[in-house]
Amino acid sequence: MCTSHEHDHGQEAAQAGAGRRSFLRATALLGAAATAAAAVPAAAAEAAPASSAGRHPDPDSRRFTLAVMPDTQYLFDGPSIDKAPVEAALRYLLEHGKEENIVFLSHLGDLTQNGAPAEFAAIGDAFDLLDRRGVGYSVLAGNHDVKSSTTDQRGATAYLDVFGPDRFKGHRTFGGASPDGYNTYHLFRAAGREWMVLALDWRLSDQGHAWARSVLAAHPRTPVVLTTHELVVEDDSLSAYGQQLWDRLVKDHDQIFLTLNGHYWPAGRATRRNTAGNDVHLHLTNYQNRYFGGAAMIRLYRFDLDRGVIDVETVSPWILGRAGKGLNELERQEIELSGDADRFTVDIDFEKRFSGFAPVPARASRPASRMLIPGTAAYWRFDSAVSGKVRDLSGRGNDLTVVSVGGGTLGWSADHHPDQPGHGSLEFQGHKSPLTGAYLQTVDKAPLNSAEFRDGYTIEVFYRMPADWDPDHNAWAGLISRRGTGGAAGKTADDPDEPLATLSLSNDREPQWAMRPLNQQGIATNWGQETPLETWWHLAVVNDGRHTTLYVQGCPVVRNPKAPAVGIASVGKPWLLGGYTYADTIDQILHGRLGDVRIVSRALPVSSFMTH
């Protein structure tokens, strides 16, 4: 399994662009059917084929989408009721649930303009589309849905008749409601864990606050998205009630990492630091002031835990669905919102952000015996400081000795790659001019010194470069290399003074496997991409007896040569860890940390790497 996920802003932009295009492609799928959505009888909608999403999103994918629908009140205003935009948005969620991995929808209140029974009946009918498919969603009361001067203790209302707890009792995502029925919480699984949407009333009473705190206390390891009608009033500002909600509930509950509200316009964002010292992202989204009362625009919050981002996009599926029949002037302006307040990316290191209430347990050290798979030629790990010799745990006698240059020494650290079997590393402190440091070398007569690996090999290394790594002094050090030159092996093509094999780090911090195969005169080279500093990396060089592939974090790199490469040339000299030779003289020493190193005399699949 490929485990490398580099953060690349250009890639993010490309993916964001792809997201825009996906919506425009969606118009072809919605087409005229969405335009005529209001004319589709309920029975026909019920008989429609099942959505591509089925009834269940992928609970393990590390990419998922939370959909958000703000104020729809102008679409449900007395005699002016038009369900078509809301139904188009809900049908979009059904039709694109699989490709977007849509896990949940949150409505932010002000479903209706006057809170009248007829208005609620109409929007309740629209949401039947989700009920019939078992799609999870939440709603909450806004100031237009109930008497605005009341709290969640107001008693019976038309809102409660249509969107009270009884409506949600059969939903698999429904967690429960406060006794008054106006506050609910909902649980869904995504990215292999549980998440919560805490949907709170327009005005929370003391009882409502106590209930919300009890829900959070009952789910102490669950990250929470809090939804309510009023909180942010404009960029960087909270309303008076929003500040009260922050002070009484949000700031002291680290689980709440994102809040969503409507009520005010235009859209805006704020960030506040909570009591635990973590950022909470507070978002205002509301488009009722725009054409057709906002046309039931939806926000798509695309979570990507590998990239550490939430990509946010705002569109109206109803307008997009009408594109096939031609749009009027205002629809053309509203087909997609691309301003900074409507389309943006939130950077979140999810593991770090959630570590205070749901720390990810460190992977336990694995015994060396588990790493001694068939064909293991050598295995070295650094569970403690080195005092002169490192034993080859394969039992094949490929022990290492310390070689000091200019009085250099090797340090030890408990720092290690999170998927490394051994929980320790050696700290190399090499420097080019003058050349100083220390490296490791296989003992004389070690079997590895003469091994040619004609049937294939796998070489694995864990490494980390420090913040002060400098290409002028530290580039081209070998992580693992083989002494002896091409010239000494009778291979004089390219530079005959280069070593017979070296897995080195270039001046651009790119891993490079450069070696002399048995079947070539010249040097065969595999190149990886730049690997950032202060990050642990796993490299694997795999040769199947004919071709060599370099893997970074279990991912094959692009610059893997297609030419046949059989074995590794040898003149019987030692292998080095942390050292690089030129003209068979030590020329550079690693500046960084080196973790477990294993050599296996056959090609391994990714599933057999030490990271698994």
Side-chain angles (χ1 to χ4, degrees):
M1 178 179 180
C2 177
T3 56
S4 177
H5 303 281
E6 291 199 32
H7 195 97
D8 186 294
H9 294 290
Q11 183 183 27
E12 288 177 21
Q15 290 176 339
R20 277 200 293 271
R21 291 190 293 273
S22 73
F23 276 109
L24 296 176
R25 287 197 300 270
T27 62
L29 298 175
L30 291 171
T35 308
V40 178
E46 214 164 349
S51 73
S52 62
R55 296 176 64 87
H56 303 290
D58 182 348
D60 297 314
S61 173
R62 291 172 63 82
R63 294 171 64 99
F64 64 92
T65 301
L66 172 66
V68 179
M69 182 181 288
D71 309 47
T72 50
Q73 62 200 71
Y74 293 161
L75 298 171
F76 301 91
D77 181 9
S80 303
I81 290 178
D82 192 337
K83 298 188 296 181
V86 169
E87 289 182 333
L90 300 182
R91 284 192 175 92
Y92 175 87
L93 300 181
L94 293 172
E95 294 174 10
H96 299 275
K98 184 176 182 179
E99 66 192 71
E100 295 277 358
N101 198 27
I102 299 171
V103 295
F104 198 79
L105 164 70
S106 289
H107 196 293
L108 302 181
D110 275 2
L111 296 102
T112 68
Q113 174 66 14
N114 306 295
E119 295 168 352
F120 274 112
I123 193 168
D125 285 345
F127 272 86
D128 283 345
L129 289 169
L130 299 188
D131 294 329
R132 288 192 289 268
R133 302 288 177 81
V135 175
Y137 68 94
S138 66
V139 297
L140 54 91
N143 58 301
H144 281 268
D145 297 317
V146 294
K147 189 176 180 180
S148 61
S149 61
T150 61
T151 70
D152 54 21
Q153 302 304 303
R154 65 185 62 89
T157 58
Y159 166 86
L160 215 55
D161 290 340
V162 176
F163 287 108
D166 286 345
R167 184 181 189 112
F168 298 99
K169 283 182 178 175
H171 287 219
R172 59 189 172 82
T173 55
F174 181 59
S178 56
D180 49 77
Y182 285 99
N183 303 291
T184 58
Y185 74 94
H186 308 258
L187 302 168
F188 60 86
R189 289 197 64 80
R193 72 177 307 149
E194 181 181 78
W195 304 72
M196 179 191 297
V197 169
L198 183 61
L200 301 180
D201 186 71
W202 144 257
R203 286 292 183 264
L204 210 57
S205 65
D206 289 343
Q207 297 94 319
H209 275 283
W211 174 86
R213 287 193 293 270
S214 72
V215 169
L216 295 171
H219 300 82
R221 295 173 58 84
T222 302
V224 175
V225 177
L226 184 149
T227 61
T228 191
H229 189 57
E230 178 185 341
L231 203 161
V232 178
V233 64
E234 61 183 356
D235 275 345
D236 300 320
S237 298
L238 310 187
S239 70
Y241 174 74
Q243 187 64 49
Q244 179 190 117
L245 192 61
W246 170 265
D247 291 336
R248 294 189 62 184
L249 183 67
V250 179
K251 73 179 178 67
D252 293 328
H253 289 89
D254 194 30
Q255 297 163 257
I256 302 172
F257 70 98
L258 174 66
T259 74
L260 306 170
N261 74 276
H263 189 49
Y264 299 103
W265 64 78
R269 287 180 279 162
T271 304
R272 292 288 186 273
R273 187 68 56 86
N274 67 14
T275 304
N278 290 318
D279 284 344
V280 181
H281 301 277
L282 315 164
H283 292 181
L284 159 63
T285 175
N286 184 11
Y287 301 100
Q288 68 184 87
N289 61 312
R290 303 183 77 108
Y291 175 67
F292 225 77
M297 284 190 177
I298 56 174
R299 278 268 183 98
L300 294 180
Y301 281 72
R302 294 188 179 95
F303 288 66
D304 189 330
L305 272 67
D306 289 324
R307 291 167 55 230
V309 298
I310 306 174
D311 291 320
V312 181
E313 185 168 22
T314 306
V315 296
S316 169
W318 179 68
I319 295 178
L320 288 169
R322 293 169 58 83
K325 287 196 169 184
L327 302 178
N328 64 40
E329 179 181 352
L330 294 179
E331 287 173 329
R332 287 194 295 272
Q333 296 174 11
E334 299 292 297
I335 190 168
E336 185 177 11
L337 303 185
S338 55
D340 291 342
D342 310 305
R343 184 180 183 84
F344 54 89
T345 293
V346 179
D347 293 299
I348 299 180
D349 182 334
F350 290 96
E351 184 174 317
K352 181 178 179 182
R353 174 61 181 84
F354 299 163
S355 63
F357 60 88
V360 177
R363 189 173 183 182
S365 174
R366 284 162 283 160
S369 58
R370 285 183 53 187
M371 298 300 106
L372 304 182
I373 59 177
T376 301
Y379 176 45
W380 305 290
R381 60 195 280 173
F382 313 110
D383 293 326
S384 60
V386 173
S387 59
K389 180 175 282 192
V390 177
R391 189 165 62 90
D392 171 18
L393 299 179
S394 76
R396 297 184 179 275
N398 297 301
D399 297 337
L400 301 168
T401 58
V402 178
V403 181
S404 176
V405 177
T409 60
L410 292 175
W412 181 84
S413 173
D415 187 28
H416 59 276
H417 188 290
D419 289 321
Q420 184 177 302
H423 282 191
S425 58
L426 286 187
E427 191 154 4
F428 293 77
Q429 300 169 352
H431 190 276
K432 177 73 170 178
S433 301
L435 183 63
T436 57
Y439 60 93
L440 296 168
Q441 179 173 284
T442 52
V443 297
D444 293 339
K445 299 182 180 179
L448 200 65
N449 297 350
S450 57
E452 293 183 331
F453 302 101
R454 292 175 179 270
D455 296 324
Y457 54 87
T458 300
I459 300 172
E460 295 181 76
V461 177
F462 293 95
Y463 74 96
R464 182 184 190 273
M465 292 173 286
D468 64 351
W469 191 93
D470 178 0
D472 291 336
H473 298 290
N474 308 130
W476 299 110
L479 299 171
I480 182 169
S481 61
R482 175 172 237 173
R483 297 201 72 145
T485 65
K491 296 179 178 295
T492 56
D494 300 323
D495 186 343
D497 288 326
E498 285 287 347
L500 290 175
T502 181
L503 181 56
S504 306
L505 299 174
S506 77
N507 56 319
D508 289 325
R509 307 196 301 272
E510 304 158 306
Q512 182 207 61
W513 173 241
M515 48 79 71
R516 303 267 184 177
L518 299 174
N519 65 318
Q520 290 185 30
Q521 278 289 314
I523 297 172
T525 306
N526 300 66
W527 281 94
Q529 77 281 359
E530 179 180 333
T531 52
L533 302 174
E534 298 188 282
T535 302
W536 274 101
W537 297 94
H538 172 264
L539 299 180
V541 180
V542 180
N543 179 278
D544 62 4
R546 285 192 58 79
H547 297 98
T548 307
T549 303
L550 175 63
Y551 293 84
V552 178
Q553 290 292 97
C555 305
V557 300
V558 65
R559 298 166 72 184
N560 281 318
K562 301 295 190 291
V566 179
I568 304 174
S570 169
V571 292
K573 290 197 172 185
W575 286 77
L576 310 180
L577 265 61
Y580 165 83
T581 58
Y582 183 78
D584 211 23
T585 300
I586 192 71
D587 184 71
Q588 181 61 289
I589 297 173
L590 177 67
H591 183 60
R593 290 174 180 165
L594 200 61
D596 293 17
V597 178
R598 184 175 70 176
I599 301 177
V600 180
S601 58
R602 62 187 175 92
L604 294 181
V606 174
S607 59
S608 294
F609 289 174
M610 287 192 288
T611 51
H612 288 261

